[in-house]
Amino acid sequence: MLSLFFLILYIPAVMSSSSQMAGILPQDPALPIGSTLTATCSVSPDLGLHASSLFWSLNGRRLPSSSYSVLSPTALSVTLPGLPASRQRSGDNLVCHNHGGHVLAGSCLYIGMPPVKPVNLTCWSRNTKDLTCRWAPGGQGETFIKTKYTLKYKLRWYGRERECEELNAAQPYSCYIPRDLALFTPYEIWVEATNQLGSATSDVITLDILDVVTTDPPSGVSVSRVGDLEDHLSIRWESPPALKDFLFQAKYQIRYRLEDISDWKVMDDVGNQTSCRLAGLRPGTVYFVQVRCNPVGIYGSRRAGIWSEWSHPTAASTPHSERVLSGSCDSKSGDSNSTLRRELKQFFGWVRNHAYGCGGMSIKLYDQWRVWMQKSHKTRNQVLQGDKS
Amino acid sequence: MSGHVKNMCPQLTISQAARTLLSLLLVAAIDSVSAAVVCRKQPCGSSLQRSLKLTKLIHKESVDLLKTYKVSQGDMSELFCQMSINNVPDPNISGLDPSERMLSIYSHCKAFLPHLKRVTEQQTDLQPPSSSLLSKLSTAHNRTNGLANQINCIYQTLFPNLPIPPEPVDGPTSVPPSQNVFQQKVYGCVVLKRFKEFLSRVTRELRTLKSQVCTRRTTFADTNALF
């Protein structure tokens, strides 16, 4: 009884020198999913424990004794068939306990898959100075065990193989090469994935830095009204400063949208100007505008580059229509029927000019306006036909 | 010396040489000072109050740190943390009078640092890079170092005639040698559990010290002013 008491006191201290008191083999193995593992817990005879009094647990759950096998008075094994993938990256905890539940020894299992060939390797250079590459892990994307991805590159016709060192913890499948890149000569680039169960290499891509150049978005984007024109906005920007020393042609793209609508309208044919005018816009409305740049023909390369990010959205509003008086005959703002609104604006404008104010507002006045509109239409059409002849 | 300078570089005046020498000496002086803890004399109460606030912050973070640690080690980690391991600092503050207790806090803080660092290194291999555990461990290390420096300063201010023993040699000899993964998991949990308990004790201790030491000093100063 007394010896049992001492044992209970002694056992928690076992871990301090567990390598001598008890141990599990294999220690920290890496295995493919579905494997069968047989592990053995060996206890020192000094502990005075018999193997049949021990039990196993995996990730906190006790394993059935039917899977145990007493190899000797101081060694108990367990067989684990069809192991599933590891629950956490730090490994599954396979633990050997004494009958009281105290931990005698542990081994961490790494159950996963060898890496699949990485795919979709793409690279781009910012202003010809650096190279960023990104890839995807291939297969289902998860190996369940720690897998190292190394981006390698070399000049195609000469030079030694080099490794990209600047991995990004926030973006695990990307790497950054900050300097010392040659131009006008192709690179071969690929990704190697390695873990304890195997390795795989992506397809090699070949590129010249000058063919994958992108740049910063245009700077100084400003949007302003064009005098009183209620359906125009003028956009100005500056070419990205980083490329001012390079021989290139930039082409630009503009996109704009109404404040409360998420769909953008894109203007493709902006060419290499640094200003543009938008027309046919809605009066009295806020628009968001963005511009982006593509460096075309860097150092004589004929290819287009890669579009930059869009500039920060710049907002501006078109002027309200001048014909609407404020405070007298304005229709309610927020009227959703835009045709009616436009007609009303025209009516109020006519009233102001022809009926000297809104004092005698009546349906008769509205009818008079309608008649006037028809007459003036006819006159306008006749004038046009006259012009054509 | 100056004569020699004159001969070698006739265009270099004595004042220029002296200026260069002075700048070099100044740089050396700044360098040596920055290596030691630079303490500014602050009122007793506010220094201890600041340290108390910092301790409370580290303690609060240590609760979350331990939780995060356990989750990332997988199931069964509760049992790990109850095991006893040699060489991990115990959480108890020792000493009879305030100076001894303050010194105990300081040396315990310093003692935990290499263990926190070791756990960080081990977990860097075991966790995915996106794991928040690694940044939390790093923060705990930095803040504890800061707290140690603060306590050092307060000690020097309150007990200027008592020397601080040289920094405890808590180098590689006292962190465990290479361990298998399971042992690393256990070690990390024991370190963080004791760290959390230590900080809880420091919180209580600093409150007591503040009332003991700062009040006493105020009384002493008042008495002095009477004469």
Side-chain angles (χ1 to χ4, degrees):
Chain A
M1 196 58 199
L2 205 62
S3 52
L4 194 67
F5 178 69
F6 275 110
L7 267 174
I8 291 166
L9 284 181
Y10 187 64
I11 281 158
V14 150
M15 271 303 294
S16 59
S17 48
S18 63
S19 50
Q20 289 108 22
M21 289 296 129
I24 295 179
L25 286 174
Q27 194 62 238
D28 310 337
L31 298 160
I33 296 173
S35 319
T36 300
L37 171 73
T38 301
T40 308
C41 178
S42 304
V43 295
S44 163
D46 298 340
L47 280 178
L49 298 171
H50 194 276
S52 57
S53 70
L54 311 176
F55 72 88
W56 291 92
S57 72
L58 178 64
N59 286 329
R61 290 172 88 200
R62 188 169 177 146
L63 293 169
S65 42
S66 51
S67 57
Y68 303 172
S69 177
V70 177
L71 302 179
S72 78
T74 55
L76 178 73
S77 79
V78 67
T79 301
L80 303 159
L83 285 162
S86 276
R87 281 210 213 154
Q88 54 271 341
R89 197 64 70 85
S90 56
D92 298 315
N93 304 321
L94 179 66
V95 183
C96 174
H97 306 253
N98 74 349
H99 59 94
H102 290 283
V103 173
L104 294 174
S107 178
C108 292
L109 312 183
Y110 298 94
I111 315 296
M113 304 190 297
V116 180
K117 180 166 126 162
V119 294
N120 298 342
L121 176 59
T122 49
C123 300
W124 63 92
S125 169
R126 194 169 211 95
N127 302 321
T128 77
K129 298 275 185 272
D130 56 27
L131 193 69
T132 309
C133 292
R134 200 174 50 201
W135 60 90
Q140 287 169 345
E142 179 63 75
T143 52
F144 304 98
I145 58 177
K146 191 163 179 131
T147 303
K148 187 169 172 217
Y149 291 87
T150 311
L151 182 83
K152 294 190 175 179
Y153 60 104
K154 69 182 270 295
L155 288 163
R156 188 195 219 173
W157 295 314
Y158 55 95
R160 57 186 174 83
E161 188 177 288
R162 299 177 70 171
E163 280 182 22
C164 168
E165 269 146 38
E166 283 192 41
L167 290 156
N168 191 338
Q171 285 167 344
Y173 306 120
S174 104
C175 198
Y176 177 68
I177 305 167
R179 63 186 75 85
D180 300 333
L181 289 162
L183 304 179
F184 298 110
T185 179
Y187 274 96
E188 288 183 339
I189 308 178
W190 66 98
V191 179
E192 286 177 16
T194 319
N195 66 23
Q196 285 182 282
L197 297 175
S199 60
T201 308
S202 72
D203 290 334
V204 177
I205 63 169
T206 309
L207 56 81
D208 186 325
I209 301 292
L210 292 177
D211 291 335
V212 292
V213 179
T214 185
T215 186
D216 310 304
S219 55
V221 178
S222 66
V223 186
S224 49
R225 294 178 173 180
V226 183
D228 285 335
L229 292 174
E230 62 197 32
D231 61 343
H232 280 60
L233 281 175
S234 164
I235 310 169
R236 287 193 135 57
W237 60 89
E238 286 148 22
S239 67
L243 286 179
K244 67 174 162 52
D245 297 328
F246 298 89
L247 294 168
F248 80 107
Q249 272 196 333
K251 64 176 183 180
Y252 298 97
Q253 230 181 34
I254 296 172
R255 70 177 188 181
Y256 62 98
R257 68 174 174 85
L258 288 147
E259 185 179 15
D260 47 2
I261 294 177
S262 55
D263 295 330
W264 293 92
K265 284 204 178 67
V266 179
M267 284 184 63
D268 247 325
D269 49 355
V270 182
N272 63 349
Q273 314 142 345
T274 54
S275 64
C276 181
R277 197 190 273 200
L278 298 175
L281 302 175
R282 223 186 268 181
T285 314
V286 175
Y287 281 89
F288 289 137
V289 176
Q290 289 180 301
V291 188
R292 67 177 181 177
C293 172
N294 187 326
V296 178
I298 296 241
Y299 283 136
S301 145
R302 291 185 187 238
R303 296 218 211 144
I306 299 171
W307 285 106
S308 71
E309 296 287 328
W310 290 103
S311 62
H312 288 304
T314 310
S317 63
T318 45
H320 283 277
S321 177
E322 279 292 309
R323 283 177 261 145
V324 179
L325 278 174
S326 58
S328 57
C329 311
D330 260 358
S331 58
K332 246 195 302 198
S333 61
D335 191 348
S336 55
N337 191 333
S338 56
T339 321
L340 173 63
R341 195 169 189 271
R342 212 175 344 153
E343 267 201 49
L344 277 171
K345 269 164 70 171
Q346 286 172 339
F347 171 54
F348 290 139
W350 176 83
V351 163
R352 187 163 54 96
N353 292 327
H354 292 91
Y356 308 104
C358 298
M361 184 61 65
S362 65
I363 195 70
K364 230 182 183 177
L365 206 56
Y366 175 74
D367 290 337
Q368 282 178 6
W369 170 69
R370 290 296 300 267
V371 166
W372 178 86
M373 282 289 281
Q374 280 185 350
K375 276 191 190 157
S376 61
H377 252 296
K378 272 192 197 152
T379 322
R380 263 182 266 157
N381 284 343
Q382 277 166 3
V383 167
L384 280 170
Q385 279 169 359
D387 280 346
K388 279 181 190 161
S389 59
Chain B
M1 175 70 181
S2 50
H4 180 68
V5 166
K6 254 190 191 158
N7 284 336
M8 290 290 289
C9 318
Q11 67 270 33
L12 189 73
T13 59
I14 294 168
S15 60
Q16 260 185 327
R19 239 183 283 148
T20 315
L21 188 64
L22 194 64
S23 337
L24 281 171
L25 282 171
L26 203 61
V27 166
I30 289 168
D31 194 48
S32 67
V33 162
S34 60
V37 177
V38 178
C39 303
R40 275 186 230 100
K41 288 236 154 82
Q42 301 265 346
C44 176
S46 78
S47 302
L48 271 172
Q49 182 64 20
R50 254 207 313 281
S51 297
L52 179 58
K53 280 187 179 164
L54 178 58
T55 309
K56 280 180 178 170
L57 172 64
I58 313 175
H59 176 248
K60 179 167 170 284
E61 289 177 342
S62 75
V63 173
D64 179 57
L65 171 59
L66 183 58
K67 220 181 275 179
T68 309
Y69 180 87
K70 284 179 179 176
V71 163
S72 58
Q73 307 310 311
D75 289 298
M76 192 56 147
S77 28
E78 197 51 57
L79 267 186
F80 302 168
C81 309
Q82 291 159 11
M83 309 191 75
S84 68
I85 295 187
N86 296 335
N87 296 327
V88 177
D90 68 272
N92 301 313
I93 298 165
S94 60
L96 293 168
D97 63 59
S99 68
E100 284 175 7
R101 294 189 77 73
M102 202 173 276
L103 203 57
S104 174
I105 295 175
Y106 169 74
S107 59
H108 267 76
C109 281
K110 286 298 213 183
F112 267 106
L113 291 176
H115 293 277
L116 289 173
K117 191 148 180 276
R118 182 54 174 262
V119 174
T120 313
E121 284 162 6
Q122 291 172 343
Q123 290 301 314
T124 306
D125 284 333
L126 294 179
Q127 301 303 327
S130 53
S131 164
S132 63
L133 175 65
L134 302 174
S135 60
K136 287 177 186 179
L137 279 166
S138 177
T139 302
H141 184 279
N142 293 339
R143 294 215 213 274
T144 307
N145 197 26
L147 179 63
N149 288 338
Q150 281 189 7
I151 301 289
N152 182 321
C153 270
I154 297 171
Y155 185 87
Q156 286 182 46
T157 311
L158 289 176
F159 313 110
N161 300 319
L162 295 174
I164 296 179
E167 310 223 333
V169 181
D170 241 317
T173 47
S174 80
V175 291
S178 67
Q179 305 161 302
N180 66 44
V181 176
F182 185 75
Q183 287 170 327
Q184 289 177 25
K185 289 188 179 188
V186 171
Y187 166 71
C189 201
V190 173
V191 167
L192 294 181
K193 185 160 180 280
R194 291 195 190 176
F195 180 63
K196 183 187 86 160
E197 284 164 9
F198 165 66
L199 290 166
S200 166
R201 286 171 169 74
V202 175
T203 310
R204 279 200 298 276
E205 195 59 45
L206 287 179
R207 275 201 199 106
T208 311
L209 280 171
K210 189 166 155 242
S211 62
Q212 281 178 341
V213 179
C214 294
T215 319
R216 209 195 299 161
R217 277 179 74 78
T218 313
T219 317
F220 186 68
D222 286 346
T223 318
N224 254 0
L226 290 174
F227 295 96

